[in-house]
Amino acid sequence: MYNSEENYNGHDRREYTIPQSKTQKVVRTIFGLVMILIYVGMGVLLLINFFNWTADWAWTRYVVGIVLIIYGFWRAYRQYKGIDSRL
């Protein structure tokens, strides 16, 4: 039922973790997918200049847009591999 870890640095230390319920897993998955859409969507909107930034800010828009898209794909990869569920 609970996971415990004993004998941590010579001490009897127990850390208990409560397993996630099915509802928590679904909510975590939905939240992860929404965040992926937000990151990739904001990146695309910045690249197409949806917010009508002036030409002085063009380099910033491209850099932030590309970084947001890359981070969105990184989150998608972590979601797919199940890495987010272990954090």
Side-chain angles (χ1 to χ4, degrees):
M1 186 159 158
Y2 294 108
N3 301 326
S4 67
E5 181 180 318
E6 296 184 46
N7 202 3
Y8 180 75
N9 288 334
H11 302 291
D12 187 20
R13 178 178 177 205
R14 296 173 189 238
E15 294 182 17
Y16 295 99
T17 57
I18 299 172
Q20 285 186 340
S21 70
K22 191 173 185 178
T23 305
Q24 288 174 326
K25 289 179 183 178
V26 169
V27 169
R28 187 180 195 102
T29 301
I30 291 171
F31 178 76
L33 293 174
V34 168
M35 290 309 297
I36 291 166
L37 289 174
I38 288 174
Y39 285 122
V40 173
M42 282 299 294
V44 170
L45 290 177
L46 284 173
L47 288 179
I48 65 171
N49 199 17
F50 179 79
F51 303 106
N52 294 321
W53 288 10
T54 61
D56 297 338
W57 291 96
W59 68 273
T60 308
R61 178 169 73 76
Y62 290 125
V63 170
V64 174
I66 290 170
V67 168
L68 285 173
I69 291 171
I70 290 171
Y71 185 68
F73 282 127
W74 173 245
R75 279 192 66 119
Y77 171 76
R78 288 186 356 210
Q79 182 91 16
Y80 176 73
K81 287 293 189 179
I83 297 171
D84 281 346
S85 64
R86 292 182 285 183
L87 295 177

